[in-house]
Amino acid sequence: MLLAHPNTPVAVERLTEALWDEEPPRHARTVLQGHVSRLRAVFAQHDAAAHGVELLTQGAAYRLRLPETLVDAHRFEESLRLVRRSADPGEAVAVLREALGLWQGPAFAGTVHSAPLEAPAHALEELRLTAVEALARAYGQLGDHGAAASVLRAEAAAHPLREPLVAQLMRALARAGRQADALDWFHRTRKLLADEIGVDPAPVLTDAYHTLLRTDAHTRADARADTHGRAHGHAHAHADADHETVRPPAGVPHEAAAGPVVTPQLLPRRPRGFIARQDELATLDRITAAAPGPLVTLTGSAGVGKTALAVHWSHRRTADFPDGTLFADLCGFSRTPARDTRAVLREFLLALGVPVERMPGSPAALGARYRELTAGRRLLVVLDNAVDSEQIRPLLPGGDECVTLVTSRDRLDGLVATDAARPVTVRALPAADSTALLAAVLGPESVAAEPEAAARLAGLCDGLPLALRVAAARLATRPHRGLASFAGELADEQHRLDLLKAEDTGVAAALGLSLRHLPEPARRLFHHLGPHTGATLDTCTAAALADCPPPQAALALDQLAAAQLVVETGPQSYVLHDLVRLFARSLAPGHEPAGLLRLLDHWVQTLLGACAAAEPGGEPCCALPSGARRSAETRRFADRTGALAWYSAERGTLRATVEAAVAAGHHDRAWRLVLLQWPLIVWQVRDGWVPLLEQGLASAELDGDPAAQSRASALLGWVLSEEGRPEEALTRLERAPDLAVRAGDFAGEAVARINLAVALMRYGDRERPGGLLADALALAEREGLTETVTLAHQHLAQHLLSVGAAAEAAEHAARGLALAAPPLAAPRRVVLRTLHGEALAAVGRTDEAVRQLHEAIREARANAYEEGEVAARVALDGLSGRGPDGGSARSVVVRGRSTLSGYRSGPRAGGSPRS
């Protein structure tokens, strides 16, 4: 994956997608870090730095720095570029043979199957086939048609449905005097296409076939057959011809056929700088080839490039429509009124040759004449920028030979229901295509000079072609402003939409046109979305923002999704892209302070529910703030796994929500939003949480709440300890108990003492931890805090084992186990059973120890708790001398301690803001 993107940062999320095609493991980031460490060790072993190869960490991404000439794929692509610049076929043959010699099997052979890896592998394979075809052409230019056929035959056998390749092979065989073989390849491919995918050969293949037939007829000097062959061959326009020959359309009424046949060509010019869209183009090819008279809807948000895609595809496929193309901008989402259907029909009839004086008068007669003239013709009809299905239906052509392409910001569900329209959603461009679009406008040298800035700029534009083109236009007209500087300006959310405007073109203007056509419920909800801080949006959150019942929010969100202003991702789940969110914010002066407060209170309530699901049976670490407004409904979490997945998915949104709370001075909400994320902090403890926790502590101090300060200090200190920052950790942890005492927060004091004891144990203190843990246990028992009592027993067992008091350790582990029954989370029981087994083994009660460890393994496996299962197995192996170091059971007990003592053994295994 890194070699496919050399000298470019590859995000951890992208690498995770590449490594795991399905759901990644719970500790995917840890596994990924392990892979990176081993890769760096391999580099060091082979002195990679001496060759300019280095694996760098850049924030949440990795970059493989290396001279690109070391990569065979790069050398291959350079060879192809060299051939394109050369006019000498002899030189082309030499270079292409050397380039193809670099291949030793399929690209990326032996790697996992995942979309991020398959995409570049597929691209390389396409380039290889292009190189093979170029080599055959070069042989043909040299007159060596036998060599050309030999090169192509192997690839045609391997790719029997690649019709351009088979067509080229047919021509090479014919020129080599093997016409019968050439015709055999056509019939073989035609049968395969029919049997495998149920389609007829494409024009590129039938053209080659008809050319062979005409050549054969000419050699037999059969003038009549020759004439027939030419007429038949002209039924398909040649893909490589410089002009277009058309046939009289079948099924045209007699009076139209009597005069000259008119072939309308109403397409706008081909869009310049069109980038990628290979998947959408392939989908259009497949749909239009598979069904008679297909109707296709291209739908997507404002500025996503629907029209450009439709026009580009239409120009690419003009040869498939010998009877012409019709195009109309219906102005559904524009500053001008939507086009009247009668006006469009008159425009189409004029293009089809109907004189003005014979133009029908009524709408019904116009439609009937239009359907009559299009029946039996092979026409392409492009209806751009439709407002709804009703506007489209009168403009659908008659007969099964026409293809109709419709673009709209609306989903056009009505056309799908009544006219069997095939919907194709046009989404934002991926990162690589976004930067390629910038390069197409600005020039590749500009993007190559600042690749990281270009990638950042593309991200800030949400992959919208409109935004990218406006940004490129502003840069092109201000050459002194570099990409990095402009990306820095765009990062300011307050000015981003203003910067993405060029004269009368801009993102805000395009979105405004979409908003104008929304039903009232959707428009009202959209005006309330500005305070939202993230990309994901559910019905409950939308209801809180808009202060309306959830069913009303659900209806409005469905209307927004139909207008492509939000993207539906699941039941009651949507994505709100940044530029759309910023546009909504621009509609609410002052960012609607009341809406922000409702959002903050809603998030606090949702987080309380997530905590309860992630750690069932625990005590809440805080309550709702004074004066909080309760949401009508919050998200429900089925179980711990679902809650943790939600925490992880919403991490960025929650961070932005904390920043919004701090900026608005709502510090009583800010520290709650931080502390209530503790289940994920515990589970992914070394994942850069310190800045967020420091903000939470600062907000607790500004709020003047010593209990919140104690819990924030305890959690922050523990995270600092896990990050290997002992002095900072102890500074925070030593303060936490006194702050809790000052607040009269006995539960918080117990938590603080446990976390301080855990850190001291880690740093080798054998004296203080026992007293701290005993005090925490007494406090928790007095206050009836069952979960905290269980946690104190766990760490007392661990401490006593480390100082050689195994019998007392076994007693505390057993007492903890007695309290750790459901609903407390299974990881706690797994840790306690493993500790109990180690303590029993240390006092010679081996049979009981084995039973406890087997039970720990069983429960860990049943709850997909991999680290707990590994730790229990290590302890069990140690009992029979099979430890990883071959040592005794006691050595395994000591070695396994870090796995069992810290939060990493499972949620809250080492303390939390409240336990």
Side-chain angles (χ1 to χ4, degrees), residues 594-611:
L596 174 62
L597 195 56
R598 289 195 301 270
L599 176 69
L600 297 177
D601 289 346
H602 173 76
W603 276 119
V604 171
Q605 292 172 73
T606 305
L607 284 164
L608 283 167
C611 283

Side-chain angles (χ1 to χ4, degrees), residues 6 9 123 138 181 194 284 331 356 377-378 464 476 489 531-532 550 598 607 638 666 726 821 826 842:
D181 287 346
L284 286 172
C331 302
V356 174
R377 292 197 182 198
R378 186 151 180 78
L464 279 181
E489 294 178 49
H532 191 52
R598 289 195 301 270
L607 284 164
H666 297 304

Side-chain angles (χ1 to χ4, degrees), residues 111-273:
T111 60
V112 296
H113 294 289
S114 63
L117 283 171
E118 288 174 353
H122 177 72
L124 282 170
E125 174 63 14
E126 284 295 311
L127 279 178
R128 188 187 70 81
L129 290 172
T130 299
V132 170
E133 292 166 347
L135 177 60
R137 281 195 298 273
Y139 274 129
Q141 289 170 340
L142 293 173
D144 194 348
H145 301 297
S150 178
V151 165
L152 293 165
R153 185 185 292 103
E155 298 302 336
H159 304 275
L161 298 180
R162 190 179 175 94
E163 294 174 80
L165 184 67
V166 176
Q168 190 177 356
L169 172 60
M170 289 167 58
R171 287 191 290 269
L173 287 168
R175 289 165 185 158
R178 299 166 60 184
Q179 185 139 339
D181 287 346
L183 293 171
D184 181 63
W185 270 99
F186 172 78
H187 292 300
R188 184 191 314 175
T189 306
R190 182 182 62 181
K191 184 177 186 305
L192 193 62
L193 287 166
D195 293 345
E196 294 289 332
I197 54 179
V199 299
D200 293 329
V204 67
L205 198 60
T206 55
D207 284 350
Y209 174 64
H210 292 142
T211 300
L212 293 179
L213 291 181
R214 286 197 301 274
T215 302
D216 186 52
H218 180 70
T219 59
R220 295 197 312 268
D222 187 338
R224 184 178 183 83
D226 177 58
T227 303
H228 174 76
R230 290 180 186 277
H232 184 66
H234 287 168
H236 302 275
H238 288 266
D240 56 352
D242 294 326
H243 63 280
E244 185 174 63
T245 306
V246 299
R247 59 179 169 84
V252 176
H254 177 73
E255 62 173 334
V261 176
V262 177
T263 304
Q265 296 294 348
L266 300 187
L267 277 182
R269 65 173 175 81
R270 186 189 295 268
R272 296 182 181 178

Side-chain angles (χ1 to χ4, degrees), residues 426-439:
V426 185
R427 305 194 186 280
L429 290 172
D433 293 342
S434 296
T435 53
L437 194 155
L438 289 174

Side-chain angles (χ1 to χ4, degrees), residues 657-719:
T657 306
V658 171
E659 292 171 358
V662 170
H666 297 304
H667 295 288
D668 56 341
R669 271 76 171 172
W671 66 255
R672 285 175 168 85
L673 291 168
V674 173
L675 290 186
L676 286 169
Q677 295 182 58
W678 70 261
L680 186 65
I681 296 172
V682 161
W683 196 249
Q684 299 177 358
V685 64
R686 296 177 184 170
D687 208 20
W689 294 101
V690 169
L692 180 71
L693 289 169
E694 288 177 338
Q695 179 60 71
L697 178 56
S699 287
E701 291 169 345
L702 288 168
D703 191 36
D705 190 321
Q709 295 170 46
S710 171
R711 292 171 185 268
S713 296
L715 183 55
L716 175 58
W718 179 75
V719 171

Side-chain angles (χ1 to χ4, degrees), residues 358-671:
R358 305 190 67 175
M359 190 68 62
S362 69
L366 284 167
R369 187 76 169 112
Y370 169 64
R371 289 187 293 276
E372 183 182 32
L373 285 177
T374 53
R377 292 197 182 198
R378 186 151 180 78
L379 278 163
L380 172 64
V381 181
V382 182
L383 303 173
D384 184 42
N385 199 11
V387 69
D388 55 28
S389 299
E390 185 179 357
Q391 189 185 25
I392 293 297
R393 291 191 182 99
L395 301 174
L396 297 178
D400 291 338
E401 293 296 312
C402 296
V403 171
T404 308
L405 202 56
V406 181
T407 76
S408 179
R409 299 183 192 182
D410 190 88
R411 284 190 312 221
L412 301 177
D413 293 342
L415 278 185
V416 177
T418 62
D419 295 272
R422 298 289 300 276
V424 176
T425 302
V426 185
R427 305 194 186 280
L429 290 172
D433 293 342
S434 296
T435 53
L437 194 155
L438 289 174
V441 179
L442 296 172
E445 63 282 349
S446 297
V447 171
E450 298 181 85
E452 294 176 11
R456 186 185 182 203
L457 186 62
L460 291 169
C461 290
D462 278 351
L464 279 181
L466 172 62
L468 290 161
R469 290 184 182 279
V470 172
R474 292 182 71 92
L475 282 164
T477 56
R478 297 166 179 82
H480 60 280
R481 178 189 289 177
L483 271 69
S485 172
F486 189 54
E489 294 178 49
L490 276 183
D492 182 354
E493 291 191 344
Q494 292 186 345
H495 300 104
R496 190 178 305 169
L497 288 177
D498 292 334
L499 291 168
L500 293 177
K501 178 181 178 182
E503 296 185 349
D504 60 344
T505 300
V507 174
L511 292 172
L513 294 171
S514 294
L515 185 64
R516 184 189 304 173
H517 290 84
L518 285 175
E520 178 56 29
R523 189 161 57 246
R524 189 166 53 247
L525 174 66
F526 189 82
H527 277 78
H528 289 291
L529 295 182
H532 191 52
T533 55
T536 56
L537 179 68
D538 59 36
T539 300
C540 299
T541 306
L545 281 162
D547 195 19
C548 69
Q552 184 176 324
L555 171 64
L557 282 170
D558 187 59
Q559 293 169 338
L560 289 174
Q564 311 286 346
L565 284 169
V566 299
V567 179
E568 189 172 7
T569 56
Q572 299 187 342
S573 297
Y574 302 85
V575 167
L576 177 69
H577 289 300
D578 282 351
L579 292 177
V580 179
R581 177 176 55 82
L582 294 178
F583 177 63
R585 182 175 296 178
S586 72
L587 303 175
H591 306 339
E592 199 187 5
L596 174 62
L597 195 56
R598 289 195 301 270
L599 176 69
L600 297 177
D601 289 346
H602 173 76
W603 276 119
V604 171
Q605 292 172 73
T606 305
L607 284 164
L608 283 167
C611 283
E615 290 302 319
E619 304 90 15
C621 70
C622 65
L624 285 172
S626 175
R629 179 169 180 173
R630 290 189 173 273
S631 296
E633 187 177 327
T634 58
R635 176 185 284 269
R636 295 182 178 89
F637 301 95
D639 52 26
R640 175 171 166 271
T641 301
L644 286 173
W646 176 83
Y647 268 116
S648 186
E650 297 291 351
R651 180 176 173 181
T653 299
L654 291 169
R655 182 180 65 248
T657 306
V658 171
E659 292 171 358
V662 170
H666 297 304
H667 295 288
D668 56 341
R669 271 76 171 172
W671 66 255

